[in-house]
């Protein structure tokens, strides 16, 4: 895992922690409703779904962050495995959102850019040695 990939993985993890906070802890707040474009009624009706979805984002963040930390600590194989699992899942979720919800494509691009860049850096690092 290259240093740039590590930084990007940590940034992707931080973004997914923010998403976790908005979805699981602050879902019905004006800020979260503004970010996700929901009315107070929609937010109340979808609170349990958002709570669960937020934890998915938190778990992906943990994978990506632990991958970067393990690599930094010298456990390259573990770090790379965790990093690819977390980043690949983040990117996969962003692609699903992009394809399934045209109105959320901007959010999907924001959600998927950092993991994509981190994975590209990993690939480039592997090719360049």
């Amino acid at each position: 895992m290259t240093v740039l990939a590590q930084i990007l993985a940590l940034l992707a993890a931080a973004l997914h922690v923010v998403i976790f906070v908005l979805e699981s802890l602050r879902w019905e707040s004006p800020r979260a409703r503004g970010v996700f474009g929901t009315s107070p009624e929609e937010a109340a009706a979808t609170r349990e779904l958002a709570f669960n979805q937020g934890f998915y984002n938190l778990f992906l963040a943990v994978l990506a962050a632990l991958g970067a930390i393990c690599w930094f600590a010298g456990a390259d194989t573990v770090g790379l495995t965790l990093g690819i699992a977390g980043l690949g899942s983040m990117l996969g979720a962003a692609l699903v959102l992009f394809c399934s919800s045209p109105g959320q494509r901007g959010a999907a691009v924001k959600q998927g850019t950092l993991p994509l860049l981190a994975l590209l850096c990993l690939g480039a690092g592997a090719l360049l040695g």
Side-chain angles (χ1 to χ4, degrees):
M1 192 182 278
T2 68
V3 174
L4 181 56
Q6 268 186 297
I7 292 167
L8 291 166
L10 290 171
L11 289 172
L15 174 61
H16 280 71
V17 169
V18 169
I19 295 168
F20 158 74
V21 169
L22 289 171
E23 290 178 338
S24 294
L25 306 178
R26 309 275 302 146
W27 182 246
E28 294 184 75
S29 72
R31 173 138 190 239
R33 288 195 333 268
V35 168
F36 293 101
T38 57
S39 69
E41 297 78 20
E42 290 169 324
T46 58
R47 180 180 51 212
E48 290 177 8
L49 291 170
F51 183 79
N52 189 43
Q53 184 171 299
F55 274 90
Y56 278 95
N57 281 295
L58 178 63
F59 299 146
L60 296 178
V62 168
L63 280 173
L66 280 177
I69 291 166
C70 287
W71 181 82
F72 181 75
D76 295 353
T77 302
V78 171
L80 188 60
T81 301
L82 290 172
I84 290 173
L87 295 166
S89 295
M90 287 176 181
L91 181 58
L95 289 171
V96 168
L97 181 61
F98 186 89
C99 293
S100 67
S101 187
Q104 296 296 320
R105 286 192 172 150
V109 169
K110 290 174 190 170
Q111 178 182 328
T113 298
L114 290 169
L116 174 62
L117 292 174
L119 289 167
L120 289 173
C121 287
L122 287 175
L127 289 174
L128 300 175

